[in-house]
Amino acid sequence: RMPTITAGRGTPHGDGLASYCQGVRRILIVLARQHRHKDVILHELAHALGPLTHGARFAKVYMRLLERYLPKDFPVLALTAQAMKVRGI
C-alpha cells in the first residue's frame, strides 16, 4: 500500500521539528520544511516499508533505497554502518 506523503509542520524534537512516519494500514509521512529532500524522504519510506524503529533491519532497507535512488554504493554504506556499530549489517 502506498503511503501518503505530505508537507507539514513536523513533530517537536529537541530544539526543532522532525519529519515522521506513522500508521500501519494507512501510512502517513509528514515532512517538516527543513526535511523536504530525497534522503529524508527515503528515510521515512524505509520506516513505511520496514520497522518503525531504527535498527539493523531499518538500516538495511534505508541503505538499499539510498543505493537505488541516490548515487550511493551499498558496500560503502555497509562499511560506514559497521564503523558506527550498527549490528546485523
Side-chain angles (χ1 to χ4, degrees):
R1 175 168 252 169
M2 293 292 289
T4 299
I5 301 173
T6 186
R9 182 174 182 271
T11 187
H13 183 73
D15 292 335
L17 297 170
S19 298
Y20 61 91
C21 176
Q22 69 179 23
V24 176
R25 288 180 174 239
R26 289 185 167 208
I27 298 171
L28 173 66
I29 295 173
V30 177
L31 297 170
R33 182 178 302 275
Q34 72 276 18
H35 294 157
R36 296 174 192 162
H37 42 85
K38 292 177 188 175
D39 58 329
V40 175
I41 294 169
L42 294 174
H43 176 102
E44 298 306 336
L45 284 171
H47 283 303
L49 292 169
L52 292 176
T53 58
H54 296 131
R57 185 167 166 239
F58 165 81
K60 284 181 184 178
V61 171
Y62 182 46
M63 290 188 304
R64 289 294 182 194
L65 288 171
L66 289 172
E67 177 186 44
R68 179 162 182 174
Y69 296 104
L70 294 178
K72 306 289 182 185
D73 184 45
F74 185 83
V76 172
L77 292 170
L79 287 173
T80 302
Q82 288 173 352
M84 296 178 73
K85 299 185 181 355
V86 176
R87 295 184 179 146
I89 300 297

